[in-house]
Amino acid sequence: MMRLTKPTLFTNLPVTCEDRDLPGDLFGQLMRDDPSTIKGAETLMLGEMLTLPQNFGNIFLGETFSSYISVHNDSSQVVKDILVKADLQTSSQRLNLSASNSAVAELKPESCIDDVIHHEVKEIGTHILVCAVSYTTQCGEKLYFRKFFKFQVLKPLDVKTKFYNAETDEVFLEAQIQNITTSPMFMEKVSLEPSMMYNVTELNIVTSGDQGESTFGKMSYLQPMDTRQYLYCLKPKPEYAEKAGVIKGVTVIGKLDIVWKTNLGERGRLQTSQLQRMAPGYGDIRMSVEMIPETVNLEEPFDITCKIINCSERTMDLQLEMCNTRTVHWCGISGRQLGKLTPGASLLLPLTVFSSVQGLQSISGLRLTDTFLKRTYEYDDIAQVCVVCPFLNNEC
């Protein structure tokens, strides 16, 4: 049995000296005569020749394990009904990798049966390749033997994820991917496959004109022990966006699909399990700001639009109270009735407010009361606005 891997570039150790030294040009001439060096660049360690693997090497999760199996008849007799079987034993299952399960009629002396097997490695830990051969001698005696080849499958990447729940129903996913192998990787693709309720937007591309360029540049290499961060934004699909109760309980976001290449183009692929977030605790009723200006003038009223969503499973009869703070003052009637709001329903609420203090100010002081249960919900810091004086040069 022999593992099939791509060769590596041959490296040599150049030895040089100055012309006035005792060896003179001797070392330089030896390097120019060396067939493994690059002509005109003999002092580079990298050569033009390829080197076949000298050992089994490392096998990483997500790569394709390929092996060449050869059964050779060393005897002087013809054997019949030769059946070669290759199984891969992992910690959880046993897989048959043989391309054919039919027996070869006969095998003459000094002849061989060759087979090549492939398997995409999906588990880490100890793997055992079991090669079993059964055959029949000329005397009709059936014989059988097995050989075991043990190897370890290592983890190539360390993936960590963080979720950020926005005030709206958007979810931001930050994925940190670290190369924990000893060689550089070319990151061919890192994408997020969202669950059925979400659409995803990749935030790792900078748009320049009509074209987008990756934030990591054109050559997306990840050096050993380096970490790279990817950011994605998930938004509920339109048919689920208004179902606050449904989106509230969704914890499954999707899974990451990572494809990379190592030396000389060997490809690996990993898919994470379904990523799960902690469901946000909106409570019975949720309030968010749908529209607010970025900059307003000091002591000048401006309009905002709030959205109220009933996240409970009962109908509410809502009353709105507007409480002034030290910096924010509401315009309008406080204590007015908003009416009944059924489960999952939403309401757009236009309000007018002004600020008496300059700078970045938080919109606070709203209170909702469910008159059915006499339950009160207070909302502070629902949004921020930059307040400037129109007569001064202001910055927020």
Side-chain angles (χ1 to χ4, degrees), residues 129-300:
L129 181 63
V130 183
C131 297
V133 180
S134 62
Y135 61 95
T136 304
T137 65
Q138 287 184 336
C139 301
E141 182 182 5
K142 292 186 177 180
L143 299 178
Y144 172 84
F145 69 91
R146 291 188 302 175
K147 284 195 174 184
F148 300 89
F149 303 93
K150 185 177 180 180
F151 58 92
Q152 294 287 334
V153 175
L154 306 177
K155 186 179 177 183
L157 299 170
D158 186 29
V159 181
K160 297 179 181 178
T161 57
K162 296 180 182 179
F163 288 101
Y164 304 91
N165 297 310
E167 287 295 330
T168 59
D169 289 323
E170 295 178 343
V171 179
F172 291 89
L173 168 65
E174 177 190 344
Q176 298 181 357
I177 300 177
Q178 183 182 22
N179 175 10
I180 57 177
T181 69
T182 57
S183 60
M185 289 182 176
F186 174 75
M187 306 304 292
E188 186 173 294
K189 184 182 77 169
V190 179
S191 62
L192 176 64
E193 298 179 2
S195 60
M196 60 178 293
M197 293 186 180
Y198 286 96
N199 292 320
V200 64
T201 302
E202 185 177 345
L203 303 180
N204 308 303
I205 296 177
V206 178
T207 303
S208 176
D210 297 334
Q211 296 181 347
E213 183 177 344
S214 172
T215 55
F216 309 112
K218 295 181 180 179
M219 305 304 290
S220 186
Y221 285 104
L222 190 59
Q223 297 295 333
M225 304 311 296
D226 279 2
T227 301
R228 183 169 290 174
Q229 294 171 303
Y230 295 85
L231 186 62
Y232 303 91
C233 176
L234 296 106
K235 296 182 181 180
K237 292 181 178 179
E239 57 266 32
Y240 300 106
E242 297 300 327
K243 299 179 181 179
V246 176
I247 292 297
K248 173 184 175 183
V250 174
T251 58
V252 176
I253 297 300
K255 56 185 179 180
L256 287 170
D257 186 15
I258 307 170
V259 180
W260 71 91
K261 288 182 179 179
T262 55
N263 294 336
L264 297 176
E266 291 181 280
R267 177 173 295 189
R269 181 183 182 186
L270 279 182
Q271 278 193 329
T272 64
S273 56
Q274 290 289 346
L275 303 175
Q276 294 189 344
R277 62 161 180 166
M278 293 290 293
Y282 295 139
D284 292 337
I285 191 164
R286 179 185 178 192
M287 177 181 288
S288 61
V289 175
E290 293 291 298
M291 188 278 294
I292 185 171
E294 293 183 1
T295 305
V296 298
N297 291 330
L298 180 68
E299 298 183 350
E300 183 176 304

Side-chain angles (χ1 to χ4, degrees), residues 16-31:
T16 61
C17 66
E18 296 185 3
D19 293 337
R20 64 173 180 266
D21 292 338
L22 182 62
D25 191 41
L26 176 61
F27 292 150
Q29 186 60 44
L30 291 175
M31 287 190 294

Side-chain angles (χ1 to χ4, degrees), residues 52 60 117 182 185 189 233 238 263 273 320 353 374 395:
L52 292 176
F60 293 100
I117 58 175
T182 57
M185 289 182 176
K189 184 182 77 169
C233 176
N263 294 336
S273 56
L320 174 67
V353 64
K374 305 300 181 182
E395 289 185 2

